[in-house]
Amino acid sequence: MLVKLGPLDAGQVADLRPFLERVPDPRARRGRWYSLTAILLVCACAAVSGTRSVDEIAEWAARASDTVLTAVGVRRYPLRWRRAPSRTTIGRVLAAVDGDALDHAVGAYLTTRNTAGMASGKRQVIAVDGKSLRGSARLSAGRRHLLSAVTHHRALTLAQAEVGTKSNETAHFRPLLEPLDLDGSLVTSDALHSVQANVTWLVEAKNAHYIAMIKRNQPTAYRQLAALP
């Protein structure tokens, strides 16, 4: 579990800890015992071990060994024993933390691992697509919708952002990809994002390649492409 989140090898270090340290702590300084990074690392370790809820994360943390808790930065109490954060602590932190900042930190970490793990000379291929989150609907609101940038070959989510409705995806295309190094990469997307401003920005500003889907609702571009040999 720690290997999955730690360094790739001696020369290509991609440790999750420094990325999570960039996430602002929403809690007051008084009364803190666990650092935000330690709590988020506990959640990350539990997630890659297969947990799917806050209760399961807390159960995993309660069973974690002293060695694991030390590795993720859980402090020792004055009586020289170490205790994992409780379910209440984990739940409060996850409810209060800045989701966009956490998304950006995890995306930057995965981007670093993806870049370090890419074979020499192999082109990076990224798909941009939006999906509604299963189980996120409430009586007062519909399902939450995310726009994500995902690698083709390893299915790593390099960036994601919440959008209000599917019709708003196009406006989030550039902000989603802006932080990523796309030099020489190939970006694919569905017809919703096949607008001139987006593909021009990919080529001129990000030095990237693209595959754009063109449908009949874009008659001029469709006729031009249909007329090609």
Side-chain angles (χ1 to χ4, degrees):
M1 168 268 299
L2 291 175
V3 171
K4 291 181 180 179
L5 297 175
L8 290 174
D9 53 52
Q12 299 287 351
V13 177
D15 192 343
L16 181 58
R17 190 186 315 271
F19 295 94
L20 293 182
E21 288 174 349
R22 306 174 190 174
V23 180
D25 195 331
R27 302 169 296 169
R29 287 180 109 20
R30 185 176 181 180
R32 291 187 203 168
W33 180 260
Y34 303 100
S35 70
L36 178 65
T37 301
I39 294 175
L40 294 179
L41 280 173
V42 166
C43 295
C45 291
V48 300
S49 299
T51 64
R52 293 181 176 272
S53 68
V54 175
D55 289 329
E56 291 180 357
I57 291 173
E59 182 179 349
W60 181 94
R63 296 180 177 181
S65 67
D66 190 76
T67 302
V68 171
L69 295 179
T70 301
V72 299
V74 173
R75 294 167 55 194
R76 187 191 298 272
Y77 280 86
L79 296 177
R80 304 191 63 79
W81 47 269
R82 204 180 310 269
R83 176 180 293 173
S86 67
R87 192 267 181 224
T88 301
T89 299
I90 294 172
R92 286 175 177 171
V93 167
L94 292 181
V97 74
D98 185 334
D100 290 334
L102 182 58
D103 266 344
H104 182 73
V106 174
Y109 161 74
L110 291 174
T111 299
T112 303
R113 286 186 65 88
N114 181 59
T115 302
M118 286 286 291
S120 178
K122 188 175 182 180
R123 187 187 303 279
Q124 178 175 241
V125 186
I126 299 172
V128 176
D129 196 14
K131 296 294 180 185
S132 294
L133 295 180
R134 180 184 301 175
S136 62
R138 298 293 181 267
L139 292 176
S140 58
R143 288 194 295 178
R144 308 184 80 162
H145 196 76
L146 294 179
L147 182 66
S148 304
V150 184
T151 60
H152 278 235
H153 64 294
R154 296 176 64 193
L156 294 177
T157 301
L158 304 183
Q160 67 180 14
E162 185 175 358
V163 297
T165 62
K166 193 166 185 177
S167 60
N168 291 332
E169 281 189 21
T170 304
H172 290 265
F173 183 86
R174 288 173 58 173
L176 178 77
L177 297 177
E178 183 67 51
L180 302 181
D181 180 8
L182 300 179
D183 190 7
S185 299
L186 172 64
V187 177
T188 68
S189 62
D190 57 25
L192 185 64
H193 301 292
S194 297
V195 296
Q196 185 175 1
N198 284 346
V199 297
T200 300
W201 175 79
L202 281 175
V203 174
E204 296 181 353
K206 304 298 285 184
N207 194 32
H209 305 275
Y210 66 87
I211 296 178
M213 300 293 294
I214 303 296
K215 294 185 176 180
R216 293 181 183 273
N217 60 354
Q218 296 174 295
T220 302
Y222 188 87
R223 284 197 303 269
Q224 290 174 337
L225 291 173
L228 293 174

